[in-house]
Amino acid sequence: MDHVISGVAKFQKEVFPKNKATFQKLANGQNPEVLFITCADSRIDPNLVTQTGPGDLFICRNAGNIVPPHSAYTGGMTASIEFAVAALGVSHIIVCGHSDCGAMKGALAPDQLDDLPHVKEWLGHCRCATEVVKEKEGELSINQLGAVTKENVLQQLQHLRTHPAVASKVATGQVQLHGWIYDIESGDVLCHCEQSNEFKLLADVYGEKPFSKSGKEA
């Protein structure tokens, strides 16, 4: 805890004064372009990986970067997604999984989660991913961790499309969906390519083209 407290002190003394104008602007509101949905894993830092700053990303994190399908039940993810899209007007939504994901390990072996009933229930949202991988590969084991991680990202993108606020904006081209996998060891980011239905290196999917506010590549 000491390093956290000293970090706050350093921020207030050194970082904040150098960026005071930026924080003064942000104090009056936010206008993020991207909703970034990723895992709560402590090894993932969205702003570090994307080299973005305060106000650039609207970040939602949970175990397994899960998006529950839309339903009558209102949860934190449902409300946050609706707010980001309908109120803040984000034009891109990224679902970012990662290597060595503990949640995906749990999804592969739900029988080992009896002592974590809430985690087990939450990972039920990943069942479609494990079933797809099992059907394709004939078995489920830790050897399929990478495949399940990728399939889970695709399934959560499918769940996103069930949310009315997202579906309407996607249909009109105002929001674009992205599926990413971050490799902790190599620093690589794999991105889903709709044309080939494969995960490829970021540069191979996007090239050097930046995002535009319209929800399309510039």
Side-chain angles (χ1 to χ4, degrees), residues 61-147:
R61 305 185 66 160
N62 62 62
N65 39 272
I66 288 170
V67 177
H70 186 268
S71 68
Y73 171 76
T74 298
M77 283 300 296
T78 299
S80 296
I81 291 167
E82 182 178 75
F83 180 73
V85 175
L88 295 180
V90 299
S91 51
H92 297 274
I93 303 177
I94 298 169
V95 176
C96 184
H98 66 95
S99 61
D100 193 48
C101 182
M104 294 304 97
K105 292 177 182 178
L108 281 166
D111 56 317
Q112 298 180 17
L113 298 175
D114 291 341
D115 292 336
L116 300 169
H118 295 294
V119 173
K120 185 174 183 177
E121 182 178 0
W122 177 251
L123 294 180
H125 293 300
C126 304
R127 184 181 173 187
C128 193
T130 57
E131 290 297 320
V132 168
V133 172
K134 182 179 180 180
E135 184 69 22
K136 287 181 177 180
E137 304 197 13
E139 64 172 346
L140 275 181
S141 71
I142 194 63
N143 295 326
Q144 279 79 44
L145 178 59

Side-chain angles (χ1 to χ4, degrees), residues 133-184:
V133 172
K134 182 179 180 180
E135 184 69 22
K136 287 181 177 180
E137 304 197 13
E139 64 172 346
L140 275 181
S141 71
I142 194 63
N143 295 326
Q144 279 79 44
L145 178 59
V148 168
T149 300
K150 291 177 181 178
E151 191 61 42
N152 181 61
V153 167
L154 298 182
Q155 293 303 323
Q156 303 317 315
L157 289 174
Q158 295 271 30
H159 292 171
L160 265 174
R161 295 182 177 95
T162 69
H163 291 250
V166 176
S168 60
K169 299 296 183 181
V170 169
T172 55
Q174 297 176 70
V175 166
Q176 188 173 347
L177 305 182
H178 309 264
W180 289 8
I181 303 288
Y182 167 58
D183 188 287
I184 297 171

